[in-house]
């Protein structure tokens, strides 16, 4: 089968499109014929070697995947050959940038029926990140106020929709380029971060500050003043700690997204129910994945890109 792998960490040039052996599922595993994998920033970090997630080389990237069950290992229940599924695969194992991939059966859920199967690969890790950040780590509840910094990205728009569905008041920062999309996602207030300082623009403290942007440490620390006493700061910026304010009981946490089939199943239902809208900005063939990594290394990727074998 064809796959893209890297045999050593480094620049995009270490990615190779090559023929490899088709894998066989073990106990508790299934093999998927891949419909698509989704590119994530972590794929770029793992290939470059600056994201400390241990992988065995050579490694196939692409931990978000959609596909059709092609073979079933021993002890698998609830998943059958021919099922259309999606999943957030273990990041330490080979991913879906290939024609076939092995997946733990308990990481897979039925794919949404309202979108093409290939496009459904765009959902798992980003939607789970938004959900975990808001509710598991942020404790967001109905009637509370949340400030989402960097809301114009894919995670941000999922976070807006999920927060609004939970009955929260949502303040979102966005550039003029993404303001319309953020508004369509349901934000109650939109702050143009290219023109207004947040400390002046946010008139009332929030219960939760969710940061999705690569802020300078001093800037991030200053924003804690916008959080009420006893509130929370949650950040997806794994390369830097999230600031807190112990004197006021403001706690902080950095999100490390976890695979959770039960929550992913709920998110699929929200897609099919029209609450969440999948965002796919580009679809590329597997052969172009090295070029996509080169774009990512230069910061030129916007939106969600899926890779089709």
């Amino acid at each position: 089968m064809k796959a893209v792998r890297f045999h050593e960490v480094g620049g995009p040039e270490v990615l190779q499109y090559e023929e490899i052996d088709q894998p066989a599922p073990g106990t508790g595993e299934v093999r998927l014929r891949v419909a698509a994998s989704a590119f994530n920033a972590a794929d770029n970090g793992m290939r470059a070697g600056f994201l400390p997630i241990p992988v065995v080389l050579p490694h196939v990237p692409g931990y978000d995947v959609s596909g059709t069950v092609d073979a079933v290992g021993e002890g698998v229940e609830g998943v059958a050959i021919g099922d259309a599924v999606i999943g957030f695969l273990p990041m330490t194992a080979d991913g879906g940038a290939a024609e076939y991939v092995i997946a733990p059966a308990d990481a897979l859920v039925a794919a949404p029926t309202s979108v093409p199967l290939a496009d459904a690969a765009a959902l798992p890790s980003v939607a789970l990140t938004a959900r975990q950040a808001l509710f598991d780590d942020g404790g967001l509840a109905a009637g509370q106020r949340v400030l989402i910094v960097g809301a114009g990205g894919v995670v941000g728009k999922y976070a807006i929709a999920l927060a609004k569905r939970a009955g929260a008041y949502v303040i979102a920062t966005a550039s003029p380029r993404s303001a319309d999309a953020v508004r369509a996602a349901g934000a109650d207030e939109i702050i143009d971060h290219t023109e207004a300082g947040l400390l002046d623009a946010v008139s009332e403290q929030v219960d939760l500050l969710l940061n999705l942007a690569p802020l300078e440490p001093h800037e991030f620390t200053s924003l804690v003043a916008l959080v009420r006493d006893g509130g929370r700061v949650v950040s997806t910026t794994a390369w830097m700690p999230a600031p807190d304010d112990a004197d006021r009981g403001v706690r902080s946490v950095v999100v490390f997204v976890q695979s959770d089939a039960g929550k992913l199943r709920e998110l699929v239902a929200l897609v099919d129910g029209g609450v969440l809208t999948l965002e796919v900005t580009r679809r590329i063939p597997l052969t172009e994945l090295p070029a996509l990594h080169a774009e990512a290394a230069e910061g030129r990727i916007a939106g969600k890109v899926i890779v089709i074998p």
Side-chain angles (χ1 to χ4, degrees), residues 5 82 95 105 156-157 172-173 182 186 276 289 294:
R5 303 192 294 182
K157 281 172 276 190
T173 76
V182 167
L276 296 180
L289 183 58

Side-chain angles (χ1 to χ4, degrees), residues 10-96:
E13 68 279 359
V14 301
L15 290 167
Q16 299 181 27
Y17 178 71
E18 55 193 6
E19 185 76 26
I20 67 172
D21 293 336
Q22 187 181 77
T27 301
E29 297 177 333
V30 303
R31 184 174 66 210
L32 302 183
R33 183 175 182 86
V34 175
S37 60
F39 175 81
N40 293 289
D43 289 315
N44 191 54
M46 292 163 67
R47 184 221 71 239
F50 60 74
L51 188 63
I53 295 176
V55 297
V56 175
L57 299 177
H59 178 72
V60 180
Y63 50 82
D64 278 332
V65 69
S66 64
T68 304
V69 177
D70 172 73
V72 176
E74 293 185 6
V76 171
E77 298 180 356
V79 182
I81 291 175
D83 285 354
V85 296
I86 63 171
F88 174 20
L89 304 180
M91 297 176 74
T92 55
D94 279 342

Side-chain angles (χ1 to χ4, degrees), residues 9-308:
V9 298
E13 68 279 359
V14 301
L15 290 167
Q16 299 181 27
Y17 178 71
E18 55 193 6
E19 185 76 26
I20 67 172
D21 293 336
Q22 187 181 77
T27 301
E29 297 177 333
V30 303
R31 184 174 66 210
L32 302 183
R33 183 175 182 86
V34 175
S37 60
F39 175 81
N40 293 289
D43 289 315
N44 191 54
M46 292 163 67
R47 184 221 71 239
F50 60 74
L51 188 63
I53 295 176
V55 297
V56 175
L57 299 177
H59 178 72
V60 180
Y63 50 82
D64 278 332
V65 69
S66 64
T68 304
V69 177
D70 172 73
V72 176
E74 293 185 6
V76 171
E77 298 180 356
V79 182
I81 291 175
D83 285 354
V85 296
I86 63 171
F88 174 20
L89 304 180
M91 297 176 74
T92 55
D94 279 342
E99 292 179 310
Y100 295 87
V101 66
I102 298 300
D106 59 8
L108 302 174
V109 303
T113 58
S114 58
V115 299
L117 180 57
D119 287 2
L123 181 70
S125 69
V126 286
L128 284 169
T129 297
R131 190 192 188 286
Q132 179 182 332
L134 289 171
F135 306 111
D136 298 346
D137 293 328
L140 189 67
Q144 293 187 329
R145 293 166 56 86
V146 56
L147 169 61
I148 303 175
V149 179
V154 180
V155 174
K157 281 172 276 190
Y158 282 137
I160 292 169
L162 291 171
K164 287 300 298 178
R165 180 176 179 271
Y169 184 89
V170 179
I171 307 166
T173 76
S175 67
R177 183 181 62 183
S178 58
D180 287 343
V182 167
R183 186 174 294 107
D188 295 290
E189 293 183 35
I190 301 173
I191 298 171
D192 180 354
H193 64 79
T194 67
E195 293 189 355
L198 289 183
L199 293 177
D200 296 323
V202 178
S203 59
E204 181 182 339
Q205 285 184 316
V206 298
D207 300 277
L208 171 62
L209 166 61
L210 172 56
N211 178 54
L212 309 173
L215 302 176
E216 292 294 331
H218 70 276
E219 181 183 6
F220 195 0
T221 299
S222 72
L223 297 182
V224 179
L226 296 174
V227 182
R228 66 163 177 82
D229 293 1
R232 296 190 183 186
V233 176
V234 177
S235 181
T236 60
T237 52
W239 61 89
M240 62 182 290
D244 58 22
D245 187 339
D247 292 340
R248 296 195 298 115
V250 177
R251 294 172 291 166
S252 69
V253 63
V254 174
V255 177
F256 291 95
V257 62
Q258 303 293 318
S259 180
D260 187 317
K263 291 172 183 174
L264 182 56
R265 193 172 291 111
E266 293 173 4
L267 293 164
V268 167
L270 294 178
V271 171
D272 283 337
V275 176
L276 296 180
T277 301
L278 282 184
E279 177 180 313
V280 175
T281 52
R282 288 166 60 191
R283 300 166 184 84
I284 66 168
L286 182 60
T287 52
E288 294 181 12
L289 183 58
L292 184 70
H293 274 247
E295 289 184 43
E298 297 174 1
R300 293 191 289 117
I301 292 181
K304 199 66 176 174
V305 183
I306 60 169
V307 183
I308 300 173

